[in-house]
Amino acid sequence: MSDFSLDLNEDQIQIQKWVHDFAEDVVRPVAAEWDEREETPWPVIEEAAKIGLYTLDFFAQCAADPAGLMLALASEELAWGDAGITLSVLGSTLAVSGIIASGTPEQQGEWLPQCFGTPDKVQLGAFAVSEPDAGSDVSSLRTRAEYDEKSDEWVLNGTKTWITNGGIADVHVIVAAVDPELKGRGHAAFVIGPDTPGISQGQKFKKHGIRASHTAEVILDDCRIPGANLLGGKDKLDLRLARAREGGKTKTQAAMSTFEATRPLVGAQAIGIARAAYEYSLEYAKERKAFGRPIIENQGIAFKLSDMKMEIDAARLLVWRACWMAAVKKPFESGEGSMSKLKAGEVAVHATEEAIQILGGYGYTRDYPVERWHRDAKIYTIFEGTSEIQRLVIARAVSGLHIP
Ligand SMILES: Cc1cc2nc3c(=O)[nH]c(=O)nc-3n(C[C@H](O)[C@H](O)[C@H](O)COP(=O)(O)OP(=O)(O)OC[C@H]3O[C@@H](n4cnc5c(N)ncnc54)[C@H](O)[C@@H]3O)c2cc1C
């Protein structure tokens, strides 16, 4: 028998079904409502916490999958229900990934549970890198972190923007410049816990899609945090900065190591939206009649659906490959993490647009979900690195050149 298999095992199938049931029974029925309200769907997050889906334990169980697929499976199913609500439920995992990527075991023990809270008091996490003048170009971020030796505190100043759960999170992971001259190599990640003076929410954005997910500015105004809240610790940072000043090689930058880990999972969400649109438009095309026959009997419609299905499957294979590579610690030598997110994001935009086309005028109205899925899909070519930036990562990896 071959060692190679794409069959899911029992545990994976069980998780996939469990999350799908939640997406179908709890998420989808309220998706349009929360999209209209443009608010964080607290009752859905609370329900997810109650059944054990919004918990550190569930995250840890999925992350421990030796094949690396469980988080991707859960992400796809949840986003099949609704992407905005998914980001509200999974947004905290960005902070979690940031803490795991840079934090010591003690810091992980202290902060990871606080990113979720308890079913009685759910909490959120946020991961803040982007700034008004530093989105794709993370290396030029301006938020400063200065060490006050006397009090053993870090003082943070700056403005972060586009932050998922920004200002409403209990745990903010902030990437800031300790030594701006070193650009990305002078960055470090800090945790800001609940009720810390000096951190506040700026404007909340009104968005095109994923409107059930809160996106806002985070303002840091002389925000003082204990020295211990520097992820990884000061000794490690000092060593890294010294090496960078001598021109030596340093480990991956604070923000980049988080994004590498999360990109395939973001891709999995995009596939969930694309699949929702494909399934809906397939059923519609079988039922809707024009010129006396179901519209699917026209090749012009049937071929769209063939392409949608093929592209969704292709994107999923790239996501699964990247997840598996990350799990078995196979390096992304050709930008495989970026490939997976790039393909999935672009497939989601295309598939949801085709779904609108298949539904015709009905697809363009808010009475049907496909227009919402199209609006939701678009963010997947923008956040966690735009499509252009993913291509840059892949181009640099395959060419070995620093393509600017
Ligand atoms: C809803 C939402 C949620 C978000 N959540 C978070 C979050 O939780 N945390 C966080 O830190 N950030 C978050 N972001 C920020 C997101 O990651 C950035 O918006 C994204 O990285 C792009 O940065 P920018 O918007 O500044 O665009 P810019 O960097 O200004 O880019 C504008 C355009 O120029 C292109 N471009 C830029 N440089 C190049 C180049 N070298 N070659 C080719 N093309 C290029 C880009 O691809 C893009 O098309 C979120 C954004 C949104 C909209």
mmCIF file with all atom_site columns, all heavy atoms in Angstrom, residues 374-392:
data_model
loop_
_atom_site.group_PDB
_atom_site.id
_atom_site.type_symbol
_atom_site.label_atom_id
_atom_site.label_alt_id
_atom_site.label_comp_id
_atom_site.label_asym_id
_atom_site.label_entity_id
_atom_site.label_seq_id
_atom_site.pdbx_PDB_ins_code
_atom_site.Cartn_x
_atom_site.Cartn_y
_atom_site.Cartn_z
_atom_site.occupancy
_atom_site.B_iso_or_equiv
_atom_site.pdbx_formal_charge
_atom_site.auth_seq_id
_atom_site.auth_comp_id
_atom_site.auth_asym_id
_atom_site.auth_atom_id
_atom_site.pdbx_PDB_model_num
ATOM 1   N N   . HIS A 1 374 ? -19.037 37.710 -2.181 1.00 0.00 ? 374 HIS A N   1
ATOM 2   C CA  . HIS A 1 374 ? -18.098 38.400 -3.077 1.00 0.00 ? 374 HIS A CA  1
ATOM 3   C C   . HIS A 1 374 ? -17.395 39.539 -2.332 1.00 0.00 ? 374 HIS A C   1
ATOM 4   O O   . HIS A 1 374 ? -16.178 39.711 -2.432 1.00 0.00 ? 374 HIS A O   1
ATOM 5   C CB  . HIS A 1 374 ? -18.878 38.946 -4.287 1.00 0.00 ? 374 HIS A CB  1
ATOM 6   C CG  . HIS A 1 374 ? -18.001 39.532 -5.344 1.00 0.00 ? 374 HIS A CG  1
ATOM 7   N ND1 . HIS A 1 374 ? -16.896 38.904 -5.848 1.00 0.00 ? 374 HIS A ND1 1
ATOM 8   C CD2 . HIS A 1 374 ? -18.068 40.707 -6.010 1.00 0.00 ? 374 HIS A CD2 1
ATOM 9   C CE1 . HIS A 1 374 ? -16.323 39.648 -6.773 1.00 0.00 ? 374 HIS A CE1 1
ATOM 10  N NE2 . HIS A 1 374 ? -17.001 40.763 -6.875 1.00 0.00 ? 374 HIS A NE2 1
ATOM 11  N N   . ARG A 1 375 ? -18.181 40.294 -1.557 1.00 0.00 ? 375 ARG A N   1
ATOM 12  C CA  . ARG A 1 375 ? -17.571 41.389 -0.772 1.00 0.00 ? 375 ARG A CA  1
ATOM 13  C C   . ARG A 1 375 ? -16.587 40.822 0.251  1.00 0.00 ? 375 ARG A C   1
ATOM 14  O O   . ARG A 1 375 ? -15.493 41.354 0.450  1.00 0.00 ? 375 ARG A O   1
ATOM 15  C CB  . ARG A 1 375 ? -18.669 42.202 -0.050 1.00 0.00 ? 375 ARG A CB  1
ATOM 16  C CG  . ARG A 1 375 ? -19.476 43.083 -0.978 1.00 0.00 ? 375 ARG A CG  1
ATOM 17  C CD  . ARG A 1 375 ? -20.445 43.989 -0.234 1.00 0.00 ? 375 ARG A CD  1
ATOM 18  N NE  . ARG A 1 375 ? -21.608 43.309 0.311  1.00 0.00 ? 375 ARG A NE  1
ATOM 19  C CZ  . ARG A 1 375 ? -21.837 43.083 1.608  1.00 0.00 ? 375 ARG A CZ  1
ATOM 20  N NH1 . ARG A 1 375 ? -20.968 43.479 2.526  1.00 0.00 ? 375 ARG A NH1 1
ATOM 21  N NH2 . ARG A 1 375 ? -22.929 42.467 2.006  1.00 0.00 ? 375 ARG A NH2 1
ATOM 22  N N   . ASP A 1 376 ? -16.998 39.713 0.878  1.00 0.00 ? 376 ASP A N   1
ATOM 23  C CA  . ASP A 1 376 ? -16.122 39.105 1.892  1.00 0.00 ? 376 ASP A CA  1
ATOM 24  C C   . ASP A 1 376 ? -14.826 38.572 1.260  1.00 0.00 ? 376 ASP A C   1
ATOM 25  O O   . ASP A 1 376 ? -13.743 38.703 1.831  1.00 0.00 ? 376 ASP A O   1
ATOM 26  C CB  . ASP A 1 376 ? -16.831 37.938 2.597  1.00 0.00 ? 376 ASP A CB  1
ATOM 27  C CG  . ASP A 1 376 ? -17.966 38.402 3.512  1.00 0.00 ? 376 ASP A CG  1
ATOM 28  O OD1 . ASP A 1 376 ? -18.067 39.615 3.760  1.00 0.00 ? 376 ASP A OD1 1
ATOM 29  O OD2 . ASP A 1 376 ? -18.731 37.535 3.979  1.00 0.00 ? 376 ASP A OD2 1
ATOM 30  N N   . ALA A 1 377 ? -14.958 37.958 0.086  1.00 0.00 ? 377 ALA A N   1
ATOM 31  C CA  . ALA A 1 377 ? -13.802 37.301 -0.540 1.00 0.00 ? 377 ALA A CA  1
ATOM 32  C C   . ALA A 1 377 ? -12.687 38.300 -0.835 1.00 0.00 ? 377 ALA A C   1
ATOM 33  O O   . ALA A 1 377 ? -11.499 37.965 -0.738 1.00 0.00 ? 377 ALA A O   1
ATOM 34  C CB  . ALA A 1 377 ? -14.241 36.608 -1.832 1.00 0.00 ? 377 ALA A CB  1
ATOM 35  N N   . LYS A 1 378 ? -13.049 39.529 -1.160 1.00 0.00 ? 378 LYS A N   1
ATOM 36  C CA  . LYS A 1 378 ? -12.038 40.477 -1.655 1.00 0.00 ? 378 LYS A CA  1
ATOM 37  C C   . LYS A 1 378 ? -10.919 40.751 -0.649 1.00 0.00 ? 378 LYS A C   1
ATOM 38  O O   . LYS A 1 378 ? -9.769  40.978 -1.035 1.00 0.00 ? 378 LYS A O   1
ATOM 39  C CB  . LYS A 1 378 ? -12.735 41.795 -2.073 1.00 0.00 ? 378 LYS A CB  1
ATOM 40  C CG  . LYS A 1 378 ? -11.824 42.790 -2.743 1.00 0.00 ? 378 LYS A CG  1
ATOM 41  C CD  . LYS A 1 378 ? -11.151 42.235 -4.001 1.00 0.00 ? 378 LYS A CD  1
ATOM 42  C CE  . LYS A 1 378 ? -9.978  43.078 -4.438 1.00 0.00 ? 378 LYS A CE  1
ATOM 43  N NZ  . LYS A 1 378 ? -8.998  42.340 -5.262 1.00 0.00 ? 378 LYS A NZ  1
ATOM 44  N N   . ILE A 1 379 ? -11.246 40.673 0.638  1.00 0.00 ? 379 ILE A N   1
ATOM 45  C CA  . ILE A 1 379 ? -10.202 40.985 1.628  1.00 0.00 ? 379 ILE A CA  1
ATOM 46  C C   . ILE A 1 379 ? -9.049  39.973 1.548  1.00 0.00 ? 379 ILE A C   1
ATOM 47  O O   . ILE A 1 379 ? -7.914  40.275 1.917  1.00 0.00 ? 379 ILE A O   1
ATOM 48  C CB  . ILE A 1 379 ? -10.784 41.034 3.072  1.00 0.00 ? 379 ILE A CB  1
ATOM 49  C CG1 . ILE A 1 379 ? -9.757  41.632 4.053  1.00 0.00 ? 379 ILE A CG1 1
ATOM 50  C CG2 . ILE A 1 379 ? -11.217 39.677 3.564  1.00 0.00 ? 379 ILE A CG2 1
ATOM 51  C CD1 . ILE A 1 379 ? -9.302  43.007 3.751  1.00 0.00 ? 379 ILE A CD1 1
ATOM 52  N N   . TYR A 1 380 ? -9.362  38.776 1.018  1.00 0.00 ? 380 TYR A N   1
ATOM 53  C CA  . TYR A 1 380 ? -8.325  37.727 1.006  1.00 0.00 ? 380 TYR A CA  1
ATOM 54  C C   . TYR A 1 380 ? -7.223  37.980 -0.026 1.00 0.00 ? 380 TYR A C   1
ATOM 55  O O   . TYR A 1 380 ? -6.221  37.270 -0.055 1.00 0.00 ? 380 TYR A O   1
ATOM 56  C CB  . TYR A 1 380 ? -8.980  36.341 0.848  1.00 0.00 ? 380 TYR A CB  1
ATOM 57  C CG  . TYR A 1 380 ? -9.735  35.989 2.120  1.00 0.00 ? 380 TYR A CG  1
ATOM 58  C CD1 . TYR A 1 380 ? -11.044 36.436 2.329  1.00 0.00 ? 380 TYR A CD1 1
ATOM 59  C CD2 . TYR A 1 380 ? -9.115  35.290 3.141  1.00 0.00 ? 380 TYR A CD2 1
ATOM 60  C CE1 . TYR A 1 380 ? -11.719 36.188 3.511  1.00 0.00 ? 380 TYR A CE1 1
ATOM 61  C CE2 . TYR A 1 380 ? -9.777  35.025 4.329  1.00 0.00 ? 380 TYR A CE2 1
ATOM 62  C CZ  . TYR A 1 380 ? -11.080 35.475 4.512  1.00 0.00 ? 380 TYR A CZ  1
ATOM 63  O OH  . TYR A 1 380 ? -11.725 35.229 5.693  1.00 0.00 ? 380 TYR A OH  1
ATOM 64  N N   . THR A 1 381 ? -7.390  38.990 -0.872 1.00 0.00 ? 381 THR A N   1
ATOM 65  C CA  . THR A 1 381 ? -6.277  39.370 -1.758 1.00 0.00 ? 381 THR A CA  1
ATOM 66  C C   . THR A 1 381 ? -5.555  40.590 -1.188 1.00 0.00 ? 381 THR A C   1
ATOM 67  O O   . THR A 1 381 ? -4.665  41.144 -1.822 1.00 0.00 ? 381 THR A O   1
ATOM 68  C CB  . THR A 1 381 ? -6.754  39.693 -3.191 1.00 0.00 ? 381 THR A CB  1
ATOM 69  O OG1 . THR A 1 381 ? -7.569  40.870 -3.162 1.00 0.00 ? 381 THR A OG1 1
ATOM 70  C CG2 . THR A 1 381 ? -7.531  38.546 -3.806 1.00 0.00 ? 381 THR A CG2 1
ATOM 71  N N   . ILE A 1 382 ? -5.983  41.024 0.016  1.00 0.00 ? 382 ILE A N   1
ATOM 72  C CA  . ILE A 1 382 ? -5.396  42.245 0.594  1.00 0.00 ? 382 ILE A CA  1
ATOM 73  C C   . ILE A 1 382 ? -4.685  41.976 1.920  1.00 0.00 ? 382 ILE A C   1
ATOM 74  O O   . ILE A 1 382 ? -3.509  42.294 2.068  1.00 0.00 ? 382 ILE A O   1
ATOM 75  C CB  . ILE A 1 382 ? -6.484  43.330 0.768  1.00 0.00 ? 382 ILE A CB  1
ATOM 76  C CG1 . ILE A 1 382 ? -7.044  43.733 -0.605 1.00 0.00 ? 382 ILE A CG1 1
ATOM 77  C CG2 . ILE A 1 382 ? -5.922  44.552 1.494  1.00 0.00 ? 382 ILE A CG2 1
ATOM 78  C CD1 . ILE A 1 382 ? -8.249  44.650 -0.569 1.00 0.00 ? 382 ILE A CD1 1
ATOM 79  N N   . PHE A 1 383 ? -5.427  41.414 2.910  1.00 0.00 ? 383 PHE A N   1
ATOM 80  C CA  . PHE A 1 383 ? -4.757  41.321 4.221  1.00 0.00 ? 383 PHE A CA  1
ATOM 81  C C   . PHE A 1 383 ? -3.837  40.102 4.329  1.00 0.00 ? 383 PHE A C   1
ATOM 82  O O   . PHE A 1 383 ? -3.854  39.237 3.481  1.00 0.00 ? 383 PHE A O   1
ATOM 83  C CB  . PHE A 1 383 ? -5.721  41.463 5.391  1.00 0.00 ? 383 PHE A CB  1
ATOM 84  C CG  . PHE A 1 383 ? -6.730  40.361 5.621  1.00 0.00 ? 383 PHE A CG  1
ATOM 85  C CD1 . PHE A 1 383 ? -6.775  39.228 4.862  1.00 0.00 ? 383 PHE A CD1 1
ATOM 86  C CD2 . PHE A 1 383 ? -7.664  40.494 6.646  1.00 0.00 ? 383 PHE A CD2 1
ATOM 87  C CE1 . PHE A 1 383 ? -7.706  38.225 5.093  1.00 0.00 ? 383 PHE A CE1 1
ATOM 88  C CE2 . PHE A 1 383 ? -8.603  39.505 6.899  1.00 0.00 ? 383 PHE A CE2 1
ATOM 89  C CZ  . PHE A 1 383 ? -8.609  38.379 6.121  1.00 0.00 ? 383 PHE A CZ  1
ATOM 90  N N   . GLU A 1 384 ? -3.015  40.128 5.386  1.00 0.00 ? 384 GLU A N   1
ATOM 91  C CA  . GLU A 1 384 ? -1.946  39.123 5.575  1.00 0.00 ? 384 GLU A CA  1
ATOM 92  C C   . GLU A 1 384 ? -1.040  39.081 4.344  1.00 0.00 ? 384 GLU A C   1
ATOM 93  O O   . GLU A 1 384 ? -0.585  38.011 3.930  1.00 0.00 ? 384 GLU A O   1
ATOM 94  C CB  . GLU A 1 384 ? -2.545  37.747 5.848  1.00 0.00 ? 384 GLU A CB  1
ATOM 95  C CG  . GLU A 1 384 ? -3.299  37.711 7.136  1.00 0.00 ? 384 GLU A CG  1
ATOM 96  C CD  . GLU A 1 384 ? -2.683  36.808 8.187  1.00 0.00 ? 384 GLU A CD  1
ATOM 97  O OE1 . GLU A 1 384 ? -1.768  36.040 7.890  1.00 0.00 ? 384 GLU A OE1 1
ATOM 98  O OE2 . GLU A 1 384 ? -3.141  36.902 9.316  1.00 0.00 ? 384 GLU A OE2 1
ATOM 99  N N   . GLY A 1 385 ? -0.801  40.233 3.756  1.00 0.00 ? 385 GLY A N   1
ATOM 100 C CA  . GLY A 1 385 ? 0.027   40.313 2.554  1.00 0.00 ? 385 GLY A CA  1
ATOM 101 C C   . GLY A 1 385 ? -0.855  40.308 1.319  1.00 0.00 ? 385 GLY A C   1
ATOM 102 O O   . GLY A 1 385 ? -1.623  39.370 1.098  1.00 0.00 ? 385 GLY A O   1
ATOM 103 N N   . THR A 1 386 ? -0.763  41.386 0.530  1.00 0.00 ? 386 THR A N   1
ATOM 104 C CA  . THR A 1 386 ? -1.582  41.466 -0.690 1.00 0.00 ? 386 THR A CA  1
ATOM 105 C C   . THR A 1 386 ? -1.119  40.405 -1.698 1.00 0.00 ? 386 THR A C   1
ATOM 106 O O   . THR A 1 386 ? -0.036  39.826 -1.552 1.00 0.00 ? 386 THR A O   1
ATOM 107 C CB  . THR A 1 386 ? -1.423  42.857 -1.346 1.00 0.00 ? 386 THR A CB  1
ATOM 108 O OG1 . THR A 1 386 ? -0.036  43.004 -1.713 1.00 0.00 ? 386 THR A OG1 1
ATOM 109 C CG2 . THR A 1 386 ? -1.818  43.984 -0.414 1.00 0.00 ? 386 THR A CG2 1
ATOM 110 N N   . SER A 1 387 ? -1.919  40.223 -2.746 1.00 0.00 ? 387 SER A N   1
ATOM 111 C CA  . SER A 1 387 ? -1.531  39.252 -3.780 1.00 0.00 ? 387 SER A CA  1
ATOM 112 C C   . SER A 1 387 ? -0.180  39.624 -4.388 1.00 0.00 ? 387 SER A C   1
ATOM 113 O O   . SER A 1 387 ? 0.643   38.756 -4.693 1.00 0.00 ? 387 SER A O   1
ATOM 114 C CB  . SER A 1 387 ? -2.592  39.201 -4.884 1.00 0.00 ? 387 SER A CB  1
ATOM 115 O OG  . SER A 1 387 ? -3.732  38.530 -4.410 1.00 0.00 ? 387 SER A OG  1
ATOM 116 N N   . GLU A 1 388 ? 0.042   40.936 -4.535 1.00 0.00 ? 388 GLU A N   1
ATOM 117 C CA  . GLU A 1 388 ? 1.323   41.366 -5.123 1.00 0.00 ? 388 GLU A CA  1
ATOM 118 C C   . GLU A 1 388 ? 2.485   40.978 -4.196 1.00 0.00 ? 388 GLU A C   1
ATOM 119 O O   . GLU A 1 388 ? 3.539   40.533 -4.649 1.00 0.00 ? 388 GLU A O   1
ATOM 120 C CB  . GLU A 1 388 ? 1.331   42.888 -5.356 1.00 0.00 ? 388 GLU A CB  1
ATOM 121 C CG  . GLU A 1 388 ? 0.389   43.374 -6.456 1.00 0.00 ? 388 GLU A CG  1
ATOM 122 C CD  . GLU A 1 388 ? -1.076  43.419 -6.022 1.00 0.00 ? 388 GLU A CD  1
ATOM 123 O OE1 . GLU A 1 388 ? -1.362  43.342 -4.820 1.00 0.00 ? 388 GLU A OE1 1
ATOM 124 O OE2 . GLU A 1 388 ? -1.954  43.536 -6.913 1.00 0.00 ? 388 GLU A OE2 1
ATOM 125 N N   . ILE A 1 389 ? 2.274   41.162 -2.909 1.00 0.00 ? 389 ILE A N   1
ATOM 126 C CA  . ILE A 1 389 ? 3.346   40.839 -1.959 1.00 0.00 ? 389 ILE A CA  1
ATOM 127 C C   . ILE A 1 389 ? 3.586   39.321 -1.913 1.00 0.00 ? 389 ILE A C   1
ATOM 128 O O   . ILE A 1 389 ? 4.723   38.863 -1.819 1.00 0.00 ? 389 ILE A O   1
ATOM 129 C CB  . ILE A 1 389 ? 3.032   41.420 -0.553 1.00 0.00 ? 389 ILE A CB  1
ATOM 130 C CG1 . ILE A 1 389 ? 3.030   42.965 -0.617 1.00 0.00 ? 389 ILE A CG1 1
ATOM 131 C CG2 . ILE A 1 389 ? 4.013   40.913 0.503  1.00 0.00 ? 389 ILE A CG2 1
ATOM 132 C CD1 . ILE A 1 389 ? 4.318   43.616 -1.135 1.00 0.00 ? 389 ILE A CD1 1
ATOM 133 N N   . GLN A 1 390 ? 2.519   38.527 -2.041 1.00 0.00 ? 390 GLN A N   1
ATOM 134 C CA  . GLN A 1 390 ? 2.721   37.055 -2.083 1.00 0.00 ? 390 GLN A CA  1
ATOM 135 C C   . GLN A 1 390 ? 3.559   36.696 -3.305 1.00 0.00 ? 390 GLN A C   1
ATOM 136 O O   . GLN A 1 390 ? 4.454   35.845 -3.236 1.00 0.00 ? 390 GLN A O   1
ATOM 137 C CB  . GLN A 1 390 ? 1.385   36.299 -2.157 1.00 0.00 ? 390 GLN A CB  1
ATOM 138 C CG  . GLN A 1 390 ? 0.337   36.682 -1.128 1.00 0.00 ? 390 GLN A CG  1
ATOM 139 C CD  . GLN A 1 390 ? 0.765   36.484 0.306  1.00 0.00 ? 390 GLN A CD  1
ATOM 140 O OE1 . GLN A 1 390 ? 1.711   35.764 0.587  1.00 0.00 ? 390 GLN A OE1 1
ATOM 141 N NE2 . GLN A 1 390 ? 0.096   37.140 1.222  1.00 0.00 ? 390 GLN A NE2 1
ATOM 142 N N   . ARG A 1 391 ? 3.264   37.365 -4.433 1.00 0.00 ? 391 ARG A N   1
ATOM 143 C CA  . ARG A 1 391 ? 4.042   37.071 -5.651 1.00 0.00 ? 391 ARG A CA  1
ATOM 144 C C   . ARG A 1 391 ? 5.505   37.460 -5.452 1.00 0.00 ? 391 ARG A C   1
ATOM 145 O O   . ARG A 1 391 ? 6.409   36.789 -5.950 1.00 0.00 ? 391 ARG A O   1
ATOM 146 C CB  . ARG A 1 391 ? 3.452   37.810 -6.861 1.00 0.00 ? 391 ARG A CB  1
ATOM 147 C CG  . ARG A 1 391 ? 2.138   37.211 -7.324 1.00 0.00 ? 391 ARG A CG  1
ATOM 148 C CD  . ARG A 1 391 ? 1.658   37.757 -8.664 1.00 0.00 ? 391 ARG A CD  1
ATOM 149 N NE  . ARG A 1 391 ? 0.583   36.912 -9.182 1.00 0.00 ? 391 ARG A NE  1
ATOM 150 C CZ  . ARG A 1 391 ? -0.714  37.063 -8.877 1.00 0.00 ? 391 ARG A CZ  1
ATOM 151 N NH1 . ARG A 1 391 ? -1.094  38.052 -8.084 1.00 0.00 ? 391 ARG A NH1 1
ATOM 152 N NH2 . ARG A 1 391 ? -1.610  36.236 -9.355 1.00 0.00 ? 391 ARG A NH2 1
ATOM 153 N N   . LEU A 1 392 ? 5.708   38.552 -4.711 1.00 0.00 ? 392 LEU A N   1
ATOM 154 C CA  . LEU A 1 392 ? 7.076   39.003 -4.436 1.00 0.00 ? 392 LEU A CA  1
ATOM 155 C C   . LEU A 1 392 ? 7.816   37.945 -3.608 1.00 0.00 ? 392 LEU A C   1
ATOM 156 O O   . LEU A 1 392 ? 8.973   37.609 -3.888 1.00 0.00 ? 392 LEU A O   1
ATOM 157 C CB  . LEU A 1 392 ? 6.999   40.327 -3.673 1.00 0.00 ? 392 LEU A CB  1
ATOM 158 C CG  . LEU A 1 392 ? 8.209   41.234 -3.686 1.00 0.00 ? 392 LEU A CG  1
ATOM 159 C CD1 . LEU A 1 392 ? 8.545   41.663 -5.096 1.00 0.00 ? 392 LEU A CD1 1
ATOM 160 C CD2 . LEU A 1 392 ? 7.937   42.478 -2.831 1.00 0.00 ? 392 LEU A CD2 1
#
